[in-house]
Amino acid sequence: MKYARSRPAKTTSAMKRLDAPKSTSLPGIVACILLSVSAISTAQEAHDKKPVIAPPWLAATDDDVLDEVVVTGRFISASQKVINERISDSSVTDLLDANTIERLGDSTVGEALRRIPGLTLVADKYIYIRGLGERYSSTSLNGAQIPSPDLTRNVIPLDVFPTAVVRSLRVQKSWSADLPANFGGGAVNIRTKGIPDEFTLKLELGGGYNSLGSGSGLTYAGGGKDWLGTDDGSRALSPVIQSTINQMQGDISVQNILTTLQRSDPAATLAEAQTLNRNLALQLNRDIGVRSKNMPLDLQLRANVGNNYDVGQDWELGFSLGGAYQTRWRKTTAKATNFNFPDQRTNTEEETTFSVNMAGTLNLGVKFLEDHEISTTTLWLRNTDDETATRDFFNENREIEDGLGFRSYRFQFEERNLLTNQIRGKHYLGEATRERFPFLAGFLAKVPTDTSLAWFFSDSNATTDIPNQVKIASQTITDPVTTAVVDEQVTLSNTAADFRFTELDDAVQNYGWSLSLPIMTDRHYVVIGGGYNHTRKARIYRQTQFSLGAIAVTDSGVLQGPLEQVFSDESISNAANNFLFDRQGTNNESYIAATMTDAVFGTIDWTYDDTWRVATGARWEHYRQAAVAWNPYGYSLEDPQVTADPDVLEAGTFSSDEIYPTASLTYMSDWMAETFQLRLGWSETTIRPDLREITDASYIDPITGDLTRGSQGVLPADVRNFDLRGEWFFGDGDNLTVTLFRKAIDKPIEYFESAASDTTVAREILNATSATVQGVELEGLKRLGFLGGIFDTLFVQGNVTFQSSELICDIGAANSCAADSPTNPIRSLSGASDYVANVMLGFDSPEARHSVSVSYNVFGERLYVAGRNGAPDGFEQPFRSLDLTYFWYPTEAVTVKLKAQNLLGETVAIERNGIVTFQEDPGQMIGLAFSWAM
């Protein structure tokens, strides 16, 4: 949509492409890139445009369009729009626009956010801000809260969001009263692409190669719609099994089947019950034969279209429609070792993953006069991973020197969907409205024309479906020297095969409004604001688990051979093999949880003489949370689906009613730069327990595989935030930012390793005593033309964060985390590293035909797992990521993009006491894409 306030000037075709002579050819450019960035000998035209510094009352808002990019000085010009928004914000904020994200070559929001100062990416999906774990950050979509498809966490995995739908990413590191009070490291706002000012049409086709996606991988039969990222029903739980479970009151064991049969026929025999039990097992999808497959190249398709229409003199209508489809194959090898017995107890997993990512967006908008606008956003995302894995391992029961080991097979099809529908509006009592409706003039005579009312409503639903997840346990005979498998057979046990069906439904409804009343005099500008926000969240998690296996066979050869043969109809139906089928689990894996928040906030933003700015505010929040274990197969008062015990129900609830304050002071001048700002910020916020963490339920975390226990005594963590930021913005587009920060946390919520068996890793949710995080962030952009020569073609942008963290576990405190005997009661926070650095070396040709970027990202050693009972802590080692992107614009409409990632061939590694206990190679990637736009 077009905007009257703070709207960038419309880009003309002449601005987009200068008629300059052609320089170096494409082959020459590519060759120079591969040899050395410094060998690029083309000159870059200086871009001397001064930054447009908007006063606070003309600040760019979340609704303002950042889509348009002036191509002359591509990166510098696009970055200026982001800088203007950052200057006018009263909070400490960092932003990435779509042009920068594309230039860096990142394909997911998670990958892109690691480029922001103080942010690190963990497990390719979770963001740690300023050394604080994922629970200390929050994610919103266009300012509205959304659900999470993560099975056990409230946090949103950021790998589900493709950058193709992103207009900009905003990370607010200092809290303001318009944000939820559940704030620790920072808040991420994903702002989706909006409606264009004119007709646009763009088509893109791309492919890619990964060193882990070449050759042959592992796969199995699957379903006919796997290419769409959804199951065709072949993996679904059989209705015969479901109806029999209901008939048998949840118990399908042979003994209960016999008891049920004998109620109607006392002559029923054990053999009849065993036959019925085996027939039930035949209803499972057991087409799980592992086979080899040549893995194709990555595929990427994107398309979007949009337009804007003037309807008469008062109305404007617009739309945009987009879609994306991406597939890729990856084969990874992960190796783990026991730090006490690294030569004898190892774990090697080979996994092949077929991933399908799909996205669809629809934006509609209507504008009346210059003062009233209503727009809608519909976003649909699908992220599916189909995994086939084999794991060979040795433990205290079978070591390498014994020549005996274990093998595990895993088949997992996980489909995640997110659907969001949003509508929002903004209304000004401006001159256009007063002229159009003169009868309001008297009523509005004393109301400032910039008075505005904004409102929104968001309804979102996230689902995760894992049908027929299969794990098979085998025992192996191995070569004690090479560990190669000589022979294997499926374990003789009724639990040799594990079949799981998992479903998650997470729904969030969020709505609210805000009012802004500006008051302006010669030297004062005051904005009085306030609003209301309501959020409700409901989550249902259901897991059904079965076991299948033989407990006695007449011929051991039955357990050898391909898996589809071992678990064939013939093998299971043969009474001599004595296969048993049963339902497993502790009846507390499934759960129901809900939260509800009502909030009212008020703010005062006062600017004096365009030199001093004071922003203060407070937020009242009434928060309620409830979680209860759910047994879908409870059929009696003795074994109910949901407990009626009032003590248990009360233990699963939590509520708070608090006021959270914030204040900031900004000094503005031209000290040493075109624009200088010094900001000081303070706030008090909270971090609340997540979903099931306030109950005593134990469950297997599907992400880590660890046994995880909640705790009734876990309490919210109180956070005090302090920020001091100096910003220098120079007239030629250069900029420099220095930020000092400190966070003091009372009763931080952390995972602590707890007592378990030798073969099980267990973690417990507990409050530590206290924690602090402090550090400094440096960020800047500099043209290198002042060095002369080849440096005239280049600019450098980067940031580095140095930080320290400390978590204290008071051994003498009641309900202390020390009960789990941590090796180090004083340690760093999980996931915190001492430094994070990003550097991008960029080139923009003067005729706007070529753009090149080389980007480098690295983080320092960070705590992965805290040891107990003297066991050493585990630390993830630094990962040095070197990536390259190249853009060629041969015509006005055509763009060619080349990107390469992990050029250094780095691997993910975890060390404990100097021993590498885990290692995985993410591979090296190169991609090529062609796009056409008009």
Side-chain angles (χ1 to χ4, degrees):
M1 299 294 289
K2 298 176 183 177
Y3 291 81
R5 294 174 173 82
S6 305
R7 179 168 61 91
K10 196 170 183 178
T11 305
T12 64
S13 59
M15 295 170 66
K16 291 181 179 177
R17 196 75 71 228
L18 297 181
D19 294 327
K22 293 184 178 180
S23 57
T24 310
S25 64
L26 174 61
I29 289 287
V30 174
C32 290
I33 294 170
L34 298 178
L35 292 174
S36 171
V37 174
S38 63
I40 301 173
S41 58
T42 331
Q44 179 184 14
E45 182 181 40
H47 180 69
D48 296 325
K49 181 179 178 181
K50 295 182 179 180
V52 179
I53 310 302
W57 55 92
L58 290 180
T61 67
D62 287 1
D63 299 322
D64 292 332
V65 173
L66 295 178
D67 294 340
E68 298 174 303
V69 175
V70 178
V71 178
T72 304
R74 289 177 180 271
F75 182 76
I76 305 296
S77 298
S79 298
Q80 191 61 57
K81 297 181 178 67
V82 171
I83 289 173
N84 288 342
E85 179 177 352
R86 200 175 84 175
I87 289 174
S88 59
D89 203 312
S90 64
S91 303
V92 174
T93 303
D94 290 310
L95 300 105
L96 279 179
D97 67 305
N99 183 72
T100 303
I101 295 171
E102 184 177 24
R103 179 151 195 161
L104 292 168
D106 297 320
S107 57
T108 70
V109 165
E111 292 176 348
L113 285 171
R114 65 192 171 107
R115 313 291 185 175
I116 290 178
L119 273 67
T120 55
L121 181 65
V122 177
D124 293 327
K125 62 181 69 178
Y126 303 116
I127 282 294
Y128 282 40
I129 302 177
R130 291 178 167 175
L132 294 172
E134 71 268 15
R135 74 165 64 248
Y136 291 91
S137 64
S138 62
T139 301
S140 61
L141 184 71
N142 297 320
Q145 297 186 51
I146 53 176
S148 169
D150 191 292
L151 293 176
T152 58
R153 297 168 177 83
N154 199 30
V155 67
I156 298 170
L158 295 173
D159 60 334
V160 303
F161 290 95
T163 53
V165 304
V166 174
R167 169 169 57 94
S168 64
L169 299 173
R170 184 177 190 270
V171 179
Q172 186 168 326
K173 298 177 180 177
S174 66
W175 184 71
S176 56
D178 59 326
L179 291 178
N182 198 74
F183 180 97
V188 177
N189 186 13
I190 303 171
R191 305 191 291 199
T192 58
K193 293 181 178 178
I195 297 171
D197 287 343
E198 58 187 3
F199 177 75
T200 61
L201 174 64
K202 184 176 182 179
L203 305 174
E204 182 175 322
L205 170 64
Y209 165 84
N210 187 285
S211 58
L212 303 178
S214 59
S216 60
L218 304 176
T219 189
Y220 62 103
K225 294 183 178 180
D226 289 0
W227 66 280
L228 291 174
T230 190
D231 182 50
D232 63 359
S234 59
R235 300 179 178 88
L237 179 61
S238 167
V240 174
I241 294 178
Q242 187 62 62
S243 63
T244 303
I245 290 176
N246 294 333
Q247 180 185 354
M248 299 293 169
Q249 301 287 285
D251 185 355
I252 55 174
S253 65
V254 171
Q255 185 58 50
N256 190 61
I257 292 176
L258 177 60
T259 301
T260 304
L261 291 176
Q262 289 180 339
R263 289 194 188 106
S264 56
D265 182 6
T269 65
L270 177 63
E272 292 175 328
Q274 291 173 329
T275 299
L276 288 175
N277 180 268
R278 289 192 293 268
N279 287 340
L280 274 181
L282 298 181
Q283 299 298 316
L284 292 170
N285 181 345
R286 292 157 287 111
D287 194 358
I288 52 176
V290 180
R291 61 191 67 174
S292 178
K293 176 181 176 61
N294 289 324
M295 296 181 290
L297 297 176
D298 298 347
L299 173 66
Q300 176 179 289
L301 302 172
R302 293 179 181 175
N304 60 71
V305 61
N307 204 355
N308 204 303
Y309 306 92
D310 291 323
V311 181
Q313 296 182 347
D314 297 337
W315 294 89
E316 186 179 331
L317 305 176
F319 81 95
S320 67
L321 177 67
Y325 175 81
Q326 182 184 48
T327 63
R328 70 177 189 180
W329 287 84
R330 295 291 183 269
K331 182 179 180 180
T332 59
T333 300
K335 298 181 179 180
T337 59
N338 183 292
F339 64 89
N340 284 323
F341 306 93
D343 298 327
Q344 292 298 319
R345 302 176 187 178
T346 64
N347 185 327
T348 302
E349 181 176 72
E350 292 190 358
E351 176 185 281
T352 301
T353 304
F354 173 57
S355 300
V356 176
N357 298 303
M358 303 174 68
T361 60
L362 173 63
N363 296 286
L364 302 174
V366 57
K367 186 173 183 179
F368 177 62
L369 303 173
E370 294 294 329
D371 295 334
H372 307 278
E373 180 180 351
I374 297 176
S375 60
T376 68
T377 296
T378 296
L379 173 66
W380 171 76
L381 302 174
R382 171 174 290 167
N383 177 273
T384 301
D385 291 327
D386 191 6
E387 301 171 353
T388 307
T390 61
R391 182 168 65 98
D392 293 302
F393 61 99
F394 304 86
N395 58 27
E396 67 276 11
N397 298 314
R398 289 188 166 199
E399 296 187 333
I400 290 177
E401 64 183 9
D402 300 330
L404 302 173
F406 301 93
R407 170 170 286 182
S408 173
Y409 295 88
R410 178 171 56 85
F411 308 87
Q412 180 171 318
F413 182 91
E414 180 173 354
E415 176 187 344
R416 300 182 292 181
N417 290 281
L418 173 65
L419 176 63
T420 297
N421 291 291
Q422 298 179 339
I423 182 170
R424 54 193 171 273
K426 193 161 190 178
H427 310 275
Y428 287 91
L429 301 179
E431 294 295 344
T433 300
R434 301 174 192 228
E435 293 176 1
R436 185 66 174 80
F437 303 103
F439 61 88
L440 295 176
F443 174 73
L444 299 177
K446 296 184 179 181
V447 179
T449 57
D450 281 329
T451 300
S452 64
L453 172 68
W455 56 271
F456 74 96
F457 179 88
S458 176
D459 188 83
S460 305
N461 184 254
T463 61
T464 297
D465 190 18
I466 310 178
N468 206 51
Q469 176 185 347
V470 183
K471 291 183 179 180
I472 308 293
S474 296
Q475 296 178 335
T476 59
I477 299 175
T478 62
D479 186 319
V481 178
T482 65
T483 70
V485 175
V486 178
D487 195 13
E488 73 165 303
Q489 70 176 34
V490 172
T491 303
L492 186 65
S493 168
N494 66 310
T495 60
D498 182 275
F499 294 79
R500 297 189 188 188
F501 299 81
T502 303
E503 300 172 78
L504 170 72
D505 190 285
D506 197 11
V508 172
Q509 191 176 96
N510 184 203
Y511 57 84
W513 57 265
S514 62
L515 181 66
S516 177
L517 176 64
I519 302 172
M520 184 168 55
T521 65
D522 291 341
R523 304 184 68 179
H524 302 269
Y525 184 79
V526 180
V527 179
I528 300 173
Y532 169 78
N533 195 287
H534 175 85
T535 306
R536 64 179 65 184
K537 175 185 178 74
R539 166 173 282 214
I540 300 175
Y541 175 87
R542 175 171 180 158
Q543 179 179 300
T544 303
Q545 181 179 356
F546 302 100
S547 62
L548 175 64
I551 58 173
V553 293
T554 56
D555 180 4
S556 62
V558 171
L559 301 177
Q560 298 174 347
L563 296 180
E564 68 271 28
Q565 177 180 313
V566 175
F567 294 95
S568 65
D569 290 359
E570 181 181 357
S571 294
I572 295 174
S573 299
N574 188 342
N577 294 330
N578 206 353
F579 271 84
L580 292 180
F581 175 61
D582 204 352
R583 191 173 64 84
Q584 296 293 326
T586 58
N587 295 334
N588 66 353
E589 293 90 353
S590 304
Y591 68 94
I592 301 172
T595 65
M596 183 177 294
T597 307
D598 288 288
V600 176
F601 64 91
T603 60
I604 298 176
D605 191 345
W606 170 43
T607 301
Y608 171 70
D609 205 22
D610 290 336
T611 303
W612 295 95
R613 183 179 184 184
V614 178
T616 185
R619 184 182 184 94
W620 167 79
E621 279 195 355
H622 185 201
Y623 177 82
R624 291 87 83 196
Q625 175 178 324
V628 61
W630 171 43
N631 177 16
Y633 302 107
Y635 293 90
S636 66
L637 293 177
E638 293 75 19
D639 185 22
Q641 292 198 1
V642 176
T643 181
D645 187 328
D647 293 333
V648 175
L649 292 174
E650 182 179 0
T653 62
F654 168 79
S655 65
S656 66
D657 190 337
E658 302 287 344
I659 296 177
Y660 303 92
T662 179
S664 67
L665 173 66
T666 304
Y667 171 72
M668 301 170 285
S669 74
D670 58 358
W671 182 59
M672 298 179 63
E674 186 80 9
T675 297
F676 167 74
Q677 291 193 144
L678 182 66
R679 307 170 186 266
L680 175 64
W682 162 84
S683 62
E684 292 184 355
T685 55
T686 188
I687 294 295
R688 303 182 179 105
D690 198 357
L691 295 172
R692 307 181 72 183
E693 294 178 350
I694 59 175
T695 71
D696 286 331
S698 299
Y699 55 93
I700 299 296
D701 189 316
I703 303 299
T704 64
D706 298 342
L707 176 64
T708 304
R709 301 186 181 101
S711 174
Q712 290 186 13
V714 67
L715 300 172
D718 297 322
V719 186
R720 296 187 302 278
N721 309 280
F722 304 91
D723 293 271
L724 178 64
R725 168 175 281 193
E727 300 171 302
W728 292 264
F729 301 97
F730 304 94
D732 58 359
D734 294 352
N735 61 77
L736 173 66
T737 301
V738 180
T739 305
L740 304 176
F741 65 88
R742 176 180 171 84
K743 294 182 180 290
I745 308 173
D746 185 33
K747 302 184 295 292
I749 304 171
E750 283 275 305
Y751 285 108
F752 288 87
E753 189 171 340
S754 59
S757 66
D758 292 338
T759 57
T760 301
V761 176
R763 300 189 303 166
E764 188 172 6
I765 306 295
L766 292 170
N767 289 108
T769 306
S770 63
T772 56
V773 182
Q774 56 196 5
V776 57
E777 297 170 346
L778 306 173
E779 180 183 11
L781 183 148
K782 178 63 179 176
R783 294 170 177 272
L784 301 182
F786 70 97
L787 296 175
I790 61 173
F791 293 98
D792 287 336
T793 67
L794 305 173
F795 66 89
V796 62
Q797 183 192 39
N799 59 75
V800 61
T801 300
F802 299 99
Q803 63 189 17
S804 64
S805 67
E806 182 181 79
L807 180 138
I808 299 175
C809 184
D810 187 352
I811 296 177
N815 192 32
S816 170
C817 49
D820 284 324
S821 304
T823 300
N824 298 305
I826 299 178
R827 60 168 174 83
S828 61
L829 286 163
S830 299
S833 56
D834 292 337
Y835 65 88
V836 182
N838 290 281
V839 178
M840 182 178 73
L841 185 65
F843 158 79
D844 280 339
S845 66
E847 82 292 0
R849 296 289 182 183
H850 307 281
S851 295
V852 183
S853 298
V854 178
S855 55
Y856 177 79
N857 171 268
V858 64
F859 59 83
E861 185 180 74
R862 59 193 184 193
L863 181 66
Y864 179 78
V865 60
R868 64 183 302 271
N869 286 334
D873 296 339
F875 292 90
E876 184 176 355
Q877 299 304 296
F879 187 96
R880 301 165 183 85
S881 174
L882 181 65
D883 305 328
L884 178 147
T885 57
Y886 165 72
F887 290 84
W888 176 39
Y889 309 93
T891 70
E892 175 74 18
V894 176
T895 301
V896 180
K897 176 182 177 181
L898 173 71
K899 70 175 182 179
Q901 296 179 320
N902 194 21
L903 294 175
L904 299 179
E906 289 282 281
T907 60
V908 177
I910 297 172
E911 290 187 5
R912 300 186 78 164
N913 203 25
I915 303 297
V916 177
T917 59
F918 179 84
Q919 190 169 26
E920 184 176 34
D921 183 4
Q924 296 171 289
M925 193 278 287
I926 185 169
L928 183 65
F930 302 86
S931 64
W932 173 84
M934 62 176 297

